Structure formats: C-alpha cells, structure tokens
Amino acid sequence: MQDIIDQLAHAIREAASHKTCLRIRGGGTKDFYGGPLRGESLSTTAYRGVIDYEPTELVVIARAGTPLPELEAVLREKGQMLAFEPPHFGSSATLGGAIAAGLSGPRRAYAGAVRDFMLGVRMVDGKGSDLRFGGRVMKNVAGYDISRLMAGSLGTLGVILEASLKTLPLPAAEFTLRREQTQAEAIALMNEWAGKPLPLSATCHTGGFLYVRLSGAVAAVRAAREKLGGEEVTDGTTFWRELRDQRLDFFTLPEPLWRLSIKSTAAALDLPGEQIIEWGGALRWVRTIADAQTIREAAARCGGHAALFRGGDKTTGVFHPLPPVMMRLHQRLKQAFDPAGILNPGRMYEGL
Amino acid sequence: MNQPVSSRKPFPAELLAALMAKFGDRVSTGAAILEQHGKDESAHPHAPPDAVVFPETTAEVALIVKLCGKHGIPVIAFGAGSSLEGHVLAIYGGVSIDLTRMNKVLAVHAEDQDVTVEAGVTRKQLNQHLRDTGLFFPIDPGADATLGGMAATRASGTNAVRYGTMSENVMGLTVVLADGRIIHTGGRSRKSAAGYDLTRLFVGSEGTLGLITEVTLRLHTLPEAVSAAVCAFPSVDAAVRAVIQTIQLGVPIARCELLDATTIGAVNLYSGLELREAPMLFCEFHGTTASVAEQAETVQTIARELGGMDFEWATKQEDRTRLWQARHDAYLACRRLRPNNRAFSTDVCVPISRLAECIAETYDDIAMASMPVALFGHVGDGNFHLVILLDPDHPEEADLADALNRRVVMRALEMGGTCTGEHGIGIGKIEFMNEEHGDAVSVMAAIKKSLDPGNLLNPGKIIPA
C-alpha cells in the first residue's frame, strides 16, 4: 500500500513543479458537485480497505478509497454505524469523497456532521508531503484541528489518504412514522420536538407528509411513538436511504437543485418550485428555476446560505460567495497547504 | 517546565500614549494588574505583559491589534486566566487584552437552541442567564472559565463523553485577525457557512491565529431527569473496565470520572466527605426518568460484576452539586496533600482500549516517585491527569516531575494517544509537538505564518520555534 502513497505523492510533486492541475477523484459519484472539474484525474480508489477497527472503543481507521458500502458493512457486522449517515450517490462512493465533500445525511441534525466524528487524518499536501493530524483518541488539543478543517474542503488542501472516525452503536430500536402536515406545520413541529427529550434521529417534510424517525432504546422509542402519533411507515429504512441518496421522485425533477442551509425556525421559503425540508427545518432542498441571486438572498434572510447542488448554471459560482476578507483568508490557508495551487482549483471557488 | 527563551522588545512609549489616548483608564501598567495578567493556573514562571487593556467591543479589540501591529508588539487575549499550560503568559511581553468587560449575552435563540455571547461571558454566567429557558450549556471544565477562552483552548471537561467538547458545540465566531480585520465564521445555521470550516481552525488555536471576541454556541435541552452515583472498585483496572463496557453498550452516560485512592483521600479531607479510600467512579445520567433509570441499572449491573461496592445515589440537586463540586475541587484538594507545593498536571489521552494498561504502567512510575502523585480523569474519553506535587525548596523534584511527565507522554504517544487531551499546548507541551505530529507541525507553522506573518498573536505558543 505504501507504493500507492508514493505514487500519489510523486504525482503531486510532479504537478506542483509543472504547475499542472490535479483533480482528486474517488468513486466519481460527486463529479456533479461543486465548481468545474479541471486537470488530470488523480484517483484514490486503489488506496482502500479498513486499516484498524476497534469496536470496543468506537473507532475505525480506513483508507480514503474504501467504498462507503464496504466500510458500513464492516461496522454493521459489529452493530455499529457512521452516525453522520453519509450520502451514497452511487455504490462506488468513497470515504475520502464523503469527508472531502463534507456532506452528511438525515441523522446529521441529531447526531452531528462528518467533522464531528473526525478524530484524525493522514493526507498528502500540495507539496507531496505525507502528513498526519489528530489520531484515534476522543479528545486531542495538541495544536490546530486540521483533521476537521479537511471535512468539506473539497480536496483543495490535500489528498486525504486515511481517516480515523468515531463510530456509534446502531440504535436498539428504530421506527418511522408520518403525519399529514403542511410545510408551516411541519417546521413548527420539528422545532417544537427538537426542544424535547425525544429520541429523534431524522425529520423530513415532503409531499404533504412529515416523516419522523425515532432511534434509541426500545422503551424510549415506544414512548415517543405514542407521544407523536401518526401512522407507521413500514419501509422506513428504504425511505430514509432514498432521501439520503437522492433517489426520491423529487430528485428526478428537471429544475436545478439548490441546497439551503438556514436556521431551523425559518418559515417556509417563498420560492417557486418544489421543496423538501430536513434536519428539523435547518436544511431545505429546493427544485427551482428562480435565479441565483433571489435564492441566495432568501437564504441570507434566514441566517444561512445556498449552494447550487445539481444542474443549473454554474458560471456565477456554486457556493455562496465569500466576502473579500474571507476570500483572502481562504487563499492564505490554501497557500499554506498547496502553494502551487494545483489541487482541485476552482472546485470550491474561483481563485482557490 | 522548560523556561522558554524569550526576548522582550522595549515597550514603545508612543504605543502606550496611543492606547491611553483611546482607552484612558482602561489601560493599565500597574504592577499588580500586570502581575495578575502574567500568570495562569499552571506552575510556569510568571511572565507579565507590558500593559493591559480592557476593551468593551470587538471594534476596540481590532483597534488594539492594529495599534500594536504598527509597533510590532505582541497581543495576548486574557479571560479568566484559568489556562493550565501558560497559554496567557506574555513571554515576549506585549499587551494583554483582557476581555472580561465583554461580558454580555448578546442573543439567546431558545427555539433554535443557540446563543451568541461576548468572549468574556463565563460558563456559569451563561447558565445563570439561561435558567428560565429549559436550555443549558453543558461544557464544564471545572473552572468558571470565559467562553472565549474555552473556545480558544477547545476546552472540554467532565461531560464531554455525552455532549462533546467546544469543537462540537461552537457554531460560529467573531474573530479579530492579525491585521485588525474582523471576520465572522460559521453562523447560526446548522452547517457551518460556505467555504472552509474556519470555526474549527480557530477553536483551539490558543489565540495564535486570531482573537475570538464573540462566540455562538449550541445549547442543549435540560434533561428531564438527572441522577448521579458513586461506586468504589477493588482496583483502578476494574473501574476502567466498567467504563469501557458502559461505553461499548452505547449507554449515553453524561459524566464518568475516575478518582484514585490518593485523590479520594484528598477529596475527603478537603470537601468533608466520607468516601471509601479506593478507586472510585463518579457517574451522572441524563435523560427521561425512564431512560435514566435504565442507564443506571445497566451501569450498576456492570459495576457489580466487576466487584463494585458502595454504590451510592444522589438524585437530589444539592447532593449532586456537593458530589461534583468535590470532583471539581479534586485538583485543589490534592494540592492540600503537601503544604506550600507547586503542582504540575499531566493530561494525556489514550485509546480507551489501552487505558487500563496505560494507567497500570503509569502506577509503576508513580510508585518510584518520591513526591505525592494523585491520578484522576475523564475515563470515558481515555483522558486522565496526574497531579504531581513539588516542594519548591527541592528544585531537583522539578526535574523528576519533568521526567515522569515525559515518560507518561511517550507512553501515550506509543499507544496512539496524545500529549494533551484538554489542557492544550501553550508553552508547556511545545516540546512534544514534533514528537506527536512529525512533519505535520510544519503545516501548522505555515498556517500560523500565513495568518500572522508578524508573529504577534500570542507568540511562542503551540508552534515550536
């Protein structure tokens, strides 16, 4: 396996010396995500497999090229999971890609995001150096928290080689219910419930129904189920997986797909097109033909930001524009990791 | 405890005059004030700043940073001064920016379960402010630290095992950068703002990348029921095993602390308790009444199988407070074990599967030590402390303590752990940075250089020279 790292590091050093761009790629299931793809593809898929898994201490260390389904199967065998529920936009989705994209699934609002489960990374930076940050312990304050900075950095700071992640036990019981509600009612309920000691693990409003997943001890799930009412969704597992992997009918609509991350109590968004509400109200998926500025202003008014997730016109940028002082700070950080500017340039922002 | 090599520039009279003109009596060069800002709760030798300024707004902090920047003078953020590795010491002189007057809770959003505070608000002040909302801020490092300081040091404490550390609970920050510009990172939406997760970079940067002036924090719902328990064990090993089994079963235990027999002896004396002088676990359970009962039942069963005795419950608020106060006072209690001592605390964190072994080997070191050493810690996270009590009249003890600390750290690193689980690097653990991180330190140094080219933000901390 060291030979694969050597090859990756060599390719990066070559690219840095010739100032040619590299496009880091795992399973390629998120090629649609972010800015334009530039440069030669640098594949991480050969560097795969679980390095160390210690179920007793709830920690797994795996190589970046490990397909998510493979990793999750290893965990499931020991009754554990990745609690941030990373989306699989295809069966070849990799761990490295999940971390670099920083995307989390339905459980995120209740269990935490990718970054919250990151204990350490091994990576190759833009100079070709093989580096390790953090480790496998639950708490580490020895220096800057680089492993968490890597989550969501879209491959612009380095090539993730390995990650150590905190795992959690699978809940003893899980139950999905749904209730017919309007968007406004659903937002109000999601927020009301979030303030109560309920074993919520996912919420979603789509097609006139509020879906709720309860996870935890048998008694707690049973009690909450009685409290919340509604009807049982018998294939709940399928529903949440299709939501996570964007296979519900909503996601096949032709309009561009926007992802708005806003404060959870924000009222239903007044934008044309269909919407799905997740994460207790904090995440809104919008299929709309509205223009970018209208959508970004709507997100900003609700204390958040919008990203063009799939389709649409990417020429004005995909992610919420950064104020100049923030952009400079980003460029300085990029400079510290990738002085030649060869790793995934433009995937997050132009000039980064 | 290596004395850092420090060089102080003479403090420019012009800068002092400019600060005085702007801040009037909120600038101090009085000996007592300087002395107070030149120390923390560690045993590191004091290093007072040249001046202390008490700003009241972020804009004022930015102005101080700009003025100092013009003269190439360091700035050091100061909150409660409760750091444990010399984080706030002005080892290169400069201006200590005391943020305690920035003590307003700016906005509580009960529905969204978040709050924005100024950096000088302490955690107790915040929880007092939240008392009618049904919400609380769980992170509890013991000291009544400021939330700005807790963010800057990525603090955790007794209930990190359930609620996480500052890393998981800070949603956004207002930061003054080295050039005096003000930025806002993250925000109130659940996913941090667009771009890099800068919040994670500044949390734990110990004031070396920017000065945190405001913090947005995630709040948690007050549990419907809380109960605490103490249980004595025949050995530290048995206690640790009980914790491992508990975590493994997914019991969402809120706190789980180990105190060794020496510590219990000290706590009994200090807090007037009558606990059996044996290794003990202090546990706390949060949840619904039913879930707390279920958790407690599970833990009690595990404990009993491992020889646990004297299982004692505290469900009344005052009993719980007494118990946890005793735990928090453990450090002070241990210090009473030897008159006029200097105390030195270690802070390693190891994988939980190696914790029992690590502690057992550490006891072999303690057995050889000539001075009193107590052990306690947050075993649910694999993090434990030794409090080594030094007699200042016997300077050779400092070398022995250094050697003991080095052995403990090296053992932790060999076991895949870290030299510091929660206290941070400051100046005290800088010597271990290369050993722990290798080449990665050069990237941290590059980040520092790129964000603070003049090396004026708390210089001499975290990054080895």
Side-chain angles (χ1 to χ4, degrees):
Chain A
M1 283 289 170
Q2 185 58 41
D3 52 329
I4 303 172
I5 295 177
D6 293 342
Q7 283 163 20
L8 288 169
H10 177 74
I12 290 172
R13 277 193 294 270
E14 283 292 297
S17 68
H18 297 105
K19 302 253 180 203
T20 50
C21 304
L22 290 174
R23 157 158 84 94
I24 307 160
R25 194 166 191 261
T29 59
K30 289 183 274 284
D31 279 348
F32 69 87
Y33 185 60
L37 307 177
R38 295 192 182 120
E40 202 178 317
S41 175
L42 184 69
S43 175
T44 60
T45 53
Y47 195 64
R48 62 188 281 174
V50 172
I51 296 171
D52 192 9
Y53 176 34
E54 196 64 57
T56 55
E57 68 187 68
L58 305 174
V59 176
V60 66
I61 305 176
R63 298 189 184 94
T66 313
L68 284 176
E70 189 179 309
L71 174 59
E72 288 176 334
V74 170
L75 302 182
R76 203 175 309 116
E77 207 173 291
K78 300 287 178 189
Q80 295 184 2
M81 64 178 178
L82 296 176
F84 53 93
E85 222 174 353
H88 303 200
F89 296 132
S91 58
S92 58
T94 61
L95 173 64
I99 294 167
L103 296 172
S104 306
R107 207 179 294 269
R108 186 263 180 266
Y110 307 95
V114 191
R115 62 150 195 264
D116 296 317
F117 293 89
M118 297 278 299
L119 299 176
V121 290
R122 181 178 179 188
M123 59 177 271
V124 181
D125 70 4
K127 291 179 273 191
S129 310
D130 180 353
L131 306 167
R132 290 170 191 269
F133 297 96
R136 54 185 304 167
V137 289
M138 293 301 150
K139 297 196 306 194
N140 181 335
V141 289
Y144 304 144
D145 196 353
I146 306 301
S147 45
R148 292 186 176 185
L149 183 66
M150 294 304 289
S153 61
L154 288 173
T156 58
L157 300 178
V159 179
I160 298 170
L161 292 176
E162 297 164 10
S164 57
L165 294 162
K166 186 177 171 175
T167 62
L168 283 184
L170 286 164
E174 206 148 71
F175 182 83
T176 299
L177 61 90
R178 69 172 198 176
R179 296 171 34 153
E180 198 169 349
Q181 315 282 176
T182 65
Q183 278 191 9
E185 289 165 351
I187 293 167
L189 282 171
M190 287 172 176
N191 281 285
E192 186 192 321
W193 291 340
K196 293 197 169 144
L198 292 166
L200 297 177
S201 71
T203 48
C204 173
H205 182 268
T206 180
F209 284 94
L210 169 59
Y211 292 79
V212 180
R213 184 174 63 191
L214 302 165
S215 307
V218 178
V221 169
R222 192 188 306 123
R225 179 181 157 180
E226 280 161 21
K227 213 177 280 181
L228 300 188
E231 54 174 321
E232 178 175 1
V233 177
T234 47
D235 52 353
T237 311
T238 308
F239 172 79
W240 297 109
R241 193 171 54 232
E242 294 195 339
L243 172 67
R244 181 195 75 183
D245 299 346
Q246 303 198 332
R247 291 204 304 261
L248 297 175
D249 288 345
F250 168 87
F251 293 101
T252 62
L253 295 172
E255 294 87 1
L257 176 65
W258 286 82
R259 179 182 190 273
L260 279 70
S261 181
I262 56 180
K263 62 183 178 124
S264 59
T265 48
L269 293 164
D270 184 19
L271 290 169
E274 303 256 326
Q275 295 180 26
I276 282 185
I277 304 172
E278 269 198 84
W279 296 2
L283 179 65
R284 316 282 170 100
W285 297 102
V286 187
R287 279 280 187 198
T288 184
I289 48 160
D291 65 275
Q293 199 182 340
T294 306
I295 298 163
R296 297 214 150 102
E297 281 169 7
R301 273 197 303 276
C302 300
H305 55 93
L308 176 55
F309 202 81
R310 278 183 199 263
D313 174 13
K314 290 186 174 184
T315 52
T316 56
V318 172
F319 300 105
H320 218 77
L322 295 177
V325 55
M326 288 295 262
M327 191 61 197
R328 260 198 305 280
L329 188 52
H330 276 67
Q331 284 165 333
R332 286 181 179 178
L333 271 176
K334 167 86 171 169
Q335 176 79 21
F337 284 90
D338 176 21
I342 53 158
L343 301 175
N344 280 7
R347 191 81 188 259
M348 184 185 272
Y349 290 104
E350 283 304 332
L352 202 66
Chain B
M1 245 174 299
N2 294 344
Q3 178 86 41
V5 186
S6 61
S7 63
R8 267 175 192 257
K9 285 173 73 166
F11 196 69
E14 199 190 324
L15 172 59
L16 187 60
L19 289 169
M20 293 278 202
K22 184 68 200 172
F23 294 95
D25 62 1
R26 289 189 286 132
V27 180
S28 177
T29 53
I33 298 284
L34 296 184
E35 176 61 20
Q36 183 213 333
H37 290 78
K39 62 178 186 190
D40 61 5
E41 286 179 12
S42 69
H44 296 290
H46 300 182
D50 295 301
V52 179
V53 188
F54 296 85
E56 287 168 1
T57 63
T58 298
E60 286 189 351
V61 173
L63 180 67
I64 300 167
V65 170
K66 278 185 194 156
L67 286 171
C68 290
K70 221 186 276 176
H71 294 273
I73 291 298
V75 288
I76 304 121
F78 193 98
S82 54
S83 59
L84 290 164
E85 284 299 351
H87 299 66
V88 295
L89 306 194
I91 54 172
Y92 296 97
V95 172
S96 176
I97 302 182
D98 185 314
L99 295 154
T100 52
R101 291 194 195 178
M102 290 186 64
N103 61 357
K104 286 185 286 299
V105 175
L106 297 174
V108 179
H109 303 103
E111 278 200 314
D112 298 311
Q113 301 192 28
D114 64 58
V115 64
T116 301
V117 298
E118 290 184 326
V121 172
T122 70
R123 63 173 185 89
K124 285 188 183 167
Q125 185 195 339
L126 173 60
N127 278 324
Q128 183 68 19
H129 190 95
L130 293 171
R131 68 191 180 283
D132 299 323
T133 61
L135 298 169
F136 79 120
F137 181 68
I139 301 183
D140 177 359
D144 190 19
T146 62
L147 292 158
M150 286 171 65
T153 52
R154 205 149 76 228
S156 45
T158 48
N159 48 29
V161 64
R162 166 78 180 258
Y163 297 98
T165 71
M166 287 303 272
S167 184
E168 291 83 20
N169 286 281
V170 175
M171 299 172 68
L173 297 169
T174 299
V175 180
V176 175
L177 301 176
D179 61 4
R181 285 172 201 269
I182 298 164
I183 59 161
H184 304 281
T185 73
R188 294 184 43 221
S189 61
R190 283 285 160 184
K191 188 209 167 279
S192 61
Y196 296 141
D197 195 344
L198 297 175
T199 309
R200 257 24 75 187
L201 182 66
F202 286 106
V203 169
S205 62
E206 301 185 3
T208 64
L209 300 178
L211 277 90
I212 296 170
T213 59
E214 289 176 14
V215 189
T216 299
L217 297 161
R218 176 163 303 151
L219 298 175
H220 296 259
T221 312
L222 271 173
E224 179 185 300
V226 176
S227 88
V230 291
C231 180
F233 285 85
S235 65
V236 165
D237 185 65
V240 170
R241 274 173 215 289
V243 175
I244 291 175
Q245 288 188 22
T246 302
I247 304 276
Q248 226 178 310
L249 283 172
V251 176
I253 197 162
R255 309 191 204 214
C256 186
E257 301 282 302
L258 169 73
L259 286 74
D260 80 346
T262 308
T263 310
I264 293 291
V267 163
N268 279 343
L269 279 177
Y270 187 87
S271 306
L273 299 177
E274 288 171 354
L275 301 167
R276 184 198 291 253
E277 283 193 28
M280 293 199 98
L281 287 181
F282 282 41
C283 303
E284 192 165 279
F285 309 95
H286 294 179
T288 59
T289 312
S291 111
V292 163
E294 194 179 315
Q295 292 174 46
E297 183 67 32
T298 310
V299 173
Q300 199 164 354
T301 308
I302 294 170
R304 208 175 290 128
E305 281 167 10
L306 287 158
M309 0 171 215
D310 305 347
F311 216 88
E312 215 180 288
W313 290 100
T315 38
K316 277 192 298 190
Q317 169 85 44
E318 61 263 33
D319 295 342
R320 281 205 319 271
T321 307
R322 189 154 162 261
L323 209 56
W324 286 108
Q325 192 58 45
R327 161 62 189 90
H328 283 320
D329 290 339
Y331 177 73
L332 294 173
C334 290
R335 294 200 59 175
R336 293 283 174 91
L337 290 174
R338 197 177 195 190
N340 302 319
N341 65 73
R342 273 175 69 204
F344 180 85
S345 174
T346 70
D347 181 36
V348 295
C349 187
V350 295
I352 298 169
S353 59
R354 307 293 298 272
L355 184 62
E357 181 191 353
C358 183
I359 290 181
E361 289 181 21
T362 301
Y363 269 113
D364 295 341
D365 293 336
I366 294 177
M368 314 234 290
S370 57
M371 62 290 248
V373 181
L375 182 152
F376 55 87
H378 321 295
V379 284
D381 310 308
N383 179 211
F384 69 91
H385 310 295
L386 298 184
V387 175
I388 308 168
L389 300 173
L390 308 176
D391 183 342
D393 295 334
H394 290 87
E396 73 282 2
E397 286 191 357
D399 296 335
L400 293 172
D402 260 350
L404 174 54
N405 183 38
R406 175 155 276 276
R407 266 200 304 283
V408 171
V409 168
M410 289 306 144
R411 179 177 300 123
L413 295 184
E414 259 162 48
M415 290 182 169
T418 174
C419 68
T420 177
E422 59 179 12
H423 294 170
I425 297 293
I427 54 174
K429 298 212 171 67
I430 254 182
E431 59 171 316
F432 299 119
M433 283 294 281
N434 286 317
E435 270 148 319
E436 179 159 341
H437 299 289
D439 290 346
V441 174
S442 63
V443 171
M444 293 190 200
I447 293 172
K448 166 72 174 168
K449 197 161 182 211
S450 149
L451 268 61
D452 178 22
N455 194 26
L456 298 180
L457 300 178
N458 206 7
K461 315 296 162 61
I462 295 187
I463 308 292

